[in-house]
Amino acid sequence: MSTTTPDQPRLSTFRAIARIYPYAKPAMPWIYAGMGAALAAGVVTLVIPIVLQGLVDGPLATGDPGQIWPAALIVLVLGVLEAVFIMLRRLFVLTPGTHIEARMRNGLYAQLQDLPVAFHDRWQSGQLLSRAVSDLNLIRRWLSFGFVLLIVNSITIVIGFIVLINWSLWLGLLFLVMSIPLWIYGYLFENKYSVIARRAQDQQGDLATAVEESVHGIRVLKAFGRGKHSLLKFADQAELLRGTEIEKAKAIAGIWFWLLLIPDVAFALCLLGGVALAANGELTVGELFAFFATATVLRFPIESIGFLLSMTFDARTATDRFFEVMDEINTITDPEEPATIAAPTGRLTFENVVFRYQDAAADTPGTLNGIDLTLEPGETMALVGITGSGKTTMTALATRLYDVTEGRVLLDGVDIRDLTREELRRHIAMAFEDATLFSASVRDNVLLGRPELTESDEPADAAEAERVLAEALDIAQADFVHSLPNGVDTTVGEEGLSLSGGQRQRLALARAVAANPAVLVLDDPLSALDVDTEALVEAALRRVLATTTGLIVAHRPSTVQMADRVALLQEGRITDVGTHSELLKRNEHYRYVLSSLEDEELAAAERVDRELKLAEEEGRRRDAIDRESRVIDNEGEVTR
């Protein structure tokens, strides 16, 4: 996915890659040192033909064997020096290149963490992953290898041409003229190859997204028997990428054809001209030998231009993709002079709130249209409405996951946009219906919102962390964690998928409770729980909500019973507010919504029952496997 628009001017390759400089600046002295070592190696290599010329025209021509050994020793010393300089070049550039890559990756990750949810709604995770891994790896390899050799080999070619012209003006000019088509083709090659390289890297991102989606959705694919369909879809994308890579290979093969053909033709023409000049006495045999020895030395720098150019254009594309993310403007930022709330009471107010998504036209109705609602300190408010009425969107505005389009949200009379995001999210905690856990211990997941406890070395803070953890797990009825292999130190799988849906929701709820917020926002966090567990959790939650302001999205009638008041959302507006009993008596739409919730609750209960049965079957299957393994082990022991 690219954010580049047609009206954006395309930077030159040099200016595009130069944007890396702030990240590369600390390492540039080492890269320059590596460049100097590589250039010294190239100069030493060019000196060898000069020594050989003296050897051919001197000792070999006169037949004096006493002068051969000193010349051979000089060549040996030059060869050793070349090897040392090449080794130094590698030592100088490899480690700094990894530091540059690390700085860029850390900067990209920090930017991804800072950008609003609206950005992540638009971008595929595979595209971001390919930028963070493969693109930055490509930039690092270009800085450590391609950039250094491109500069050094270009300088070596210039010096080499000067040496060639010094020996023979006409042969040197002939060799120079023959190289001109290479530079012309290189310019044309950039225009063609850059487009293909960009398309290939975008397709790699799409392929990474497909892999990620299939891995995360493996249970759904297996449950519906759609593994083959997913494979065919993946194969189509892989085939598309393969075709683009072949197109890249053909483009590279085209420039390699000319890079190999033109020097060979130049060699043949120079050989004919050199023999004629030597026959006429205008060129000595030693000079002719040294000329071709130098031309041979220049062959690799000339031929390397092809893959160095392709590497450079790949790096340029990777740089463009990197800065597409880094250039994204964060619309949800901290104020320059932030306000603060020393002791929040939890009074949450929505004043004439209008919200429409970023890609929605300004003249279209918003998801929310003029919301006015106030939650008093310690009050629990349930949000009720049919699907699509804006309940989840309203909860997301409270923590600035999105910003209001019009109006404002106040916490204790302070516009939440006047608070830093860190302080705001310290005062307001959320638990989502789609509970996401991280690949970390249960302890780390639950205490995620309490860094002042988890990052402290003080014994008192460690004891407080254990108290908060135990209390949060107790409220969320998450005692199952103690039966895990390592208890609360057990590492849950990626996104918590090693746990059931209900277990994930209980840990997510515990995480929100452990944050000890002034306002607790719950987006139907109990939907995957069975009726009995839900009742226990709700009873424990009432203790928390007695002193905490609660905003709860209700998809079950039982959840509505927890609230002091209920707000009815209809087509993006609050159409009625009152107690559950009051709304039942006076609001027909509320009764309709409740009947819908009862149907949903029944369906959810059936879904939970299915999950429990599947879990029981899985447990029996694992027990059978364990028994079979023990039998096999016992048989093996008896055999031994």
Side-chain angles (χ1 to χ4, degrees):
M1 176 183 292
S2 172
T3 57
T4 305
T5 55
D7 58 340
Q8 289 177 322
R10 189 171 187 270
L11 297 176
S12 66
T13 298
F14 172 78
R15 291 181 61 192
I17 293 182
R19 300 188 69 190
I20 302 173
Y21 182 74
Y23 298 95
K25 185 178 180 180
M28 289 310 295
W30 292 101
I31 292 178
Y32 291 144
M35 201 175 292
L39 185 58
V43 171
V44 167
T45 306
L46 290 173
V47 171
I48 293 176
I50 298 175
V51 177
L52 293 177
Q53 182 222 336
L55 181 63
V56 172
D57 286 341
L60 293 181
T62 60
D64 183 2
Q67 298 182 25
I68 295 177
W69 293 109
L73 183 61
I74 292 173
V75 172
L76 176 62
V77 170
L78 291 174
V80 172
L81 278 176
E82 180 187 6
V84 170
F85 284 130
I86 291 175
M87 180 188 70
L88 288 175
R89 187 258 298 174
R90 290 181 177 273
L91 290 176
F92 285 145
V93 302
L94 289 182
T95 300
T98 60
H99 290 164
I100 296 170
E101 181 183 18
R103 276 191 290 272
M104 295 182 72
R105 183 170 289 119
N106 291 343
L108 180 66
Y109 187 81
Q111 173 76 340
L112 291 176
Q113 291 295 309
D114 195 51
L115 286 170
V117 174
F119 167 85
H120 295 278
D121 290 342
R122 301 195 318 270
W123 282 73
Q124 296 175 342
S125 55
Q127 289 288 352
L128 299 175
L129 183 64
S130 67
R131 283 162 169 78
V133 180
S134 60
D135 285 351
L136 294 185
N137 183 268
L138 196 155
I139 291 172
R140 188 258 305 163
R141 286 188 284 113
W142 178 79
L143 282 169
S144 300
F145 179 73
F147 171 61
V148 172
L149 287 190
L150 184 63
I151 299 298
V152 169
N153 287 359
S154 298
I155 296 175
T156 301
I157 291 171
V158 172
I159 295 174
F161 276 133
I162 293 173
V163 173
L164 292 179
I165 291 172
N166 181 62
W167 273 314
S168 173
L169 175 62
W170 295 111
L171 293 182
L173 288 176
L174 176 62
F175 207 81
L176 178 62
V177 169
M178 289 297 296
S179 68
I180 292 176
L182 294 179
W183 305 107
I184 296 174
Y185 190 85
Y187 173 77
L188 299 175
F189 174 75
E190 175 188 3
N191 296 330
K192 178 181 180 181
Y193 186 82
S194 295
V195 175
I196 303 172
R198 175 57 198 250
R199 188 165 72 247
Q201 284 167 284
D202 285 343
Q203 288 172 354
Q204 287 173 3
D206 292 337
L207 204 61
T209 299
V211 173
E212 183 187 34
E213 287 179 346
S214 63
V215 170
H216 287 173
I218 190 66
R219 289 170 174 79
V220 176
L221 293 175
K222 285 183 175 295
F224 287 89
R226 299 295 285 171
K228 185 175 181 181
H229 169 77
S230 179
L231 174 61
L232 292 174
K233 183 179 177 181
F234 176 83
D236 289 340
Q237 288 182 282
E239 181 64 24
L240 188 65
L241 175 59
R242 188 182 75 88
T244 305
E245 290 292 342
I246 290 175
E247 195 175 349
K248 275 178 61 178
K250 288 180 179 179
I252 295 173
I255 195 170
W256 268 104
F257 172 78
W258 294 107
L259 285 170
L260 293 173
L261 176 64
I262 291 176
D264 285 343
V265 173
F267 264 71
L269 294 177
C270 289
L271 180 61
L272 292 174
V275 170
L277 291 174
N280 293 331
E282 299 180 30
L283 198 65
T284 67
V285 175
E287 289 173 335
L288 182 61
F289 180 82
F291 181 94
F292 280 100
T294 303
T296 302
V297 169
L298 293 179
R299 189 180 184 103
F300 170 74
I302 293 174
E303 291 178 352
S304 70
I305 296 298
F307 73 82
L308 291 177
L309 281 177
S310 65
M311 196 175 188
T312 299
F313 301 144
D314 280 336
R316 180 254 159 81
T317 301
T319 303
D320 286 344
R321 283 163 51 87
F322 172 78
F323 280 104
E324 282 175 0
V325 177
M326 299 303 292
D327 291 342
E328 277 284 335
I329 298 174
N330 189 357
T331 56
I332 299 180
T333 58
D334 293 335
E336 294 183 3
E337 298 180 1
T340 187
I341 303 175
T345 64
R347 191 173 195 270
L348 186 65
T349 305
F350 295 82
E351 281 190 1
N352 194 29
V353 168
V354 175
F355 175 79
R356 61 177 61 88
Y357 286 96
Q358 190 173 2
D359 54 354
D363 56 349
T364 59
T367 305
L368 300 176
N369 300 290
I371 295 291
D372 286 298
L373 185 67
T374 297
L375 284 72
E376 298 298 337
E379 180 183 29
T380 300
M381 178 76 72
L383 284 179
V384 173
I386 62 174
T387 301
S389 59
K391 302 183 297 296
T392 297
T393 300
M394 190 169 167
T395 61
L397 296 179
T399 52
R400 293 193 73 195
L401 296 182
Y402 299 94
D403 258 347
V404 297
T405 306
E406 298 175 24
R408 58 181 185 163
V409 180
L410 306 175
L411 178 62
D412 288 347
V414 178
D415 192 324
I416 61 173
R417 290 171 294 190
D418 293 333
L419 300 171
T420 64
R421 289 166 292 171
E422 181 180 359
E423 178 175 353
L424 171 64
R425 291 160 190 174
R426 197 166 59 241
H427 298 325
I428 303 179
M430 288 192 69
F432 301 92
E433 178 182 10
D434 185 14
T436 298
L437 302 178
F438 298 96
S439 185
S441 69
V442 171
R443 181 195 310 276
D444 291 340
N445 271 286
V446 173
L447 296 179
L448 182 68
R450 298 300 295 272
E452 76 279 6
L453 298 180
T454 57
E455 297 174 6
S456 172
D457 296 327
E458 295 295 328
D461 288 334
E464 177 65 9
E466 291 302 313
R467 186 196 67 78
V468 170
L469 175 64
E471 183 180 17
L473 292 174
D474 178 61
I475 291 171
Q477 300 298 304
D479 292 339
F480 69 88
V481 299
H482 299 299
S483 62
L484 296 175
N486 296 313
V488 294
D489 293 315
T490 302
T491 298
V492 299
E494 183 181 8
E495 293 192 4
L497 294 180
S498 58
L499 304 175
S500 70
Q503 289 173 330
R504 291 198 302 273
Q505 281 196 339
R506 279 179 278 173
L507 288 183
L509 178 60
R511 178 170 57 199
V513 170
N516 191 30
V519 179
L520 188 59
V521 180
L522 305 177
D523 186 3
D524 195 24
L526 311 178
S527 60
L529 303 187
D530 60 83
V531 176
D532 294 335
T533 305
E534 180 189 15
L536 293 173
V537 173
E538 288 177 350
L541 262 180
R542 283 188 173 90
R543 302 199 306 267
V544 177
L545 294 173
T547 57
T548 304
T549 305
L551 180 61
I552 305 176
V553 172
H555 287 108
R556 292 185 179 186
S558 56
T559 309
V560 176
Q561 304 291 338
M562 296 173 57
D564 299 312
R565 289 192 299 160
V566 181
L568 179 62
L569 264 172
Q570 187 175 0
E571 296 180 354
R573 297 180 182 276
I574 300 289
T575 57
D576 205 348
V577 178
T579 65
H580 171 61
S581 301
E582 290 170 347
L583 294 185
L584 271 179
K585 292 178 181 178
R586 70 177 180 232
N587 196 300
E588 181 180 354
H589 183 68
Y590 181 70
R591 292 192 293 271
Y592 166 74
V593 172
L594 277 190
S595 65
S596 301
L597 294 181
E598 289 174 351
D599 294 339
E600 291 180 10
E601 184 172 19
L602 180 60
E606 293 175 351
R607 183 177 68 250
V608 170
D609 288 340
R610 287 196 300 269
E611 289 184 358
L612 290 173
K613 290 179 182 178
L614 289 173
E616 291 174 359
E617 292 175 2
E618 180 68 14
R620 289 195 294 270
R621 185 182 68 82
R622 289 180 178 177
D623 291 341
I625 292 173
D626 290 340
R627 287 195 298 271
E628 185 177 348
S629 298
R630 286 195 294 271
V631 170
I632 292 172
D633 291 342
N634 292 335
E635 290 177 351
E637 189 67 31
V638 170
T639 302
R640 287 195 292 272

